[in-house]
Amino acid sequence: MMDPTRPENPDSRCGFVAIVGRPNVGKSTLLNHILGQKLSITSRKPQTTRHQVLGIKTEGPVQAIYVDTPGMHEDEPRAINKYMNKAASSALIDVDVVVFVVDQAHWTSADQMVLDKLERLTCPVILVVNKVDKTERRETLLPHLEMLAAKREFAEIIPLSALRGQNLAPLEEAVGRFLPESVHFYPDDQITDRSQRFLASEMVREKITRQLGAELPYSAAVEIEEFRQDGKTLHISALILVERQGQKKIVIGDKGERLRQIGKEARQDMERLFDSKVMLRLWVKVKRGWSDSDRALKSLGMNDL
């Protein structure tokens, strides 16, 4: 009798890869470039990612299941920060490979905190030194790499630029090498385990974060109230939740201009992702204290841990 855990193809490999690091080091950008399309939302604002997002990359016999995680941060005073740290830490359970992303120029106490969380892991840890395209002189990078190499015994140290898509091939090759022999867990053409409703809500939230990050720190969430295909058109209705009346006015903007711009940019991303014409409708509602309340977070679907 054939062992179902053994692949028919002896070269077949499959496993889970956690992408971890402090906020704003480029984890989501890295995942998007590996997949070749936008899946995880990005912005210059730290802690944009709130959920674990699975990105599935199948290349011949190798299927790598990447888990993009929220940035781990040191302060946990708010319910949403606790949720994000829990999401990031739980991604380390039972993974086959960890990709630890750091910045090419700085090592911070937040980086050290992440490294400490990796201390007891027995799986390979690949250190990715991101944003090397910003390094003007090679001789300034080499001492930084030597300092990082002394932090622990990494399986590989790979400098790259996630934003530019530079030097991703060595990373993917290393990941594939460390994955266990296994049948593929997902169909070869599947890129995520997340629903289209979830991806739509994240597209809206990205546009809010990019345009209003300084004015709405951690204070906007998005609920999808309608997601319906009618012929060739996908009808999506999204509710944007903020914590105060003044924030509602900021999101709507002068004569609704800001809300229209958010909707336009989100719709364009959705049409590319879903390969369909999209009719997007947005509303804004005040829901006080949602980011401080565990109950409110659960009502927004942040209870999957």
Side-chain angles (χ1 to χ4, degrees), residues 41-42 78 126 130 157 159 180 191 195 218 258 277 284 300:
I41 70 172
T42 63
R78 298 158 67 92
I126 299 172
N130 192 20
I157 299 178
I191 64 161
S195 70
Y218 320 117
R258 178 71 70 180
K277 180 177 173 58
V284 186
L300 293 170

Side-chain angles (χ1 to χ4, degrees), residues 124-138:
V125 177
I126 299 172
L127 180 69
V128 163
V129 184
N130 192 20
K131 306 180 184 179
V132 295
D133 54 305
K134 295 185 178 180
T135 305
E136 295 181 2
R137 300 173 64 185
R138 182 179 175 85

Side-chain angles (χ1 to χ4, degrees), residues 3 5 16 50 61 83-84 86 98 106 125 137-138 146 163 169 203 230 233 238 242 255 258 266 287 290 294 296:
D3 183 352
T5 64
F16 289 87
R50 289 180 183 162
Y83 167 85
M84 289 159 66
K86 187 177 179 182
V98 170
H106 306 290
V125 177
R137 300 173 64 185
R138 182 179 175 85
E146 290 174 359
L163 184 62
M203 293 297 164
D230 185 3
T233 303
V242 294
K255 298 179 181 178
R258 178 71 70 180
K287 185 169 185 174
W290 72 262
D294 288 318

Side-chain angles (χ1 to χ4, degrees), residues 19-55 66-71 99 101 130-131 162-163 168 202 205-206 210:
I19 305 176
V20 301
R22 64 173 164 84
N24 214 27
V25 289
K27 299 181 296 296
S28 296
T29 301
L30 178 62
L31 175 61
N32 289 340
H33 278 274
I34 287 173
L35 298 177
Q37 63 179 289
K38 185 173 206 164
L39 180 66
S40 196
I41 70 172
T42 63
S43 81
R44 293 183 179 180
K45 178 180 172 52
Q47 302 169 24
T48 299
T49 301
R50 289 180 183 162
H51 307 262
Q52 291 180 14
V53 178
L54 286 191
Y66 291 92
V67 187
D68 182 26
T69 62
V99 174
V101 184
N130 192 20
K131 306 180 184 179
L163 184 62
L168 297 186
E202 289 287 88
R205 192 166 65 81
E206 178 189 64
R210 285 190 166 195

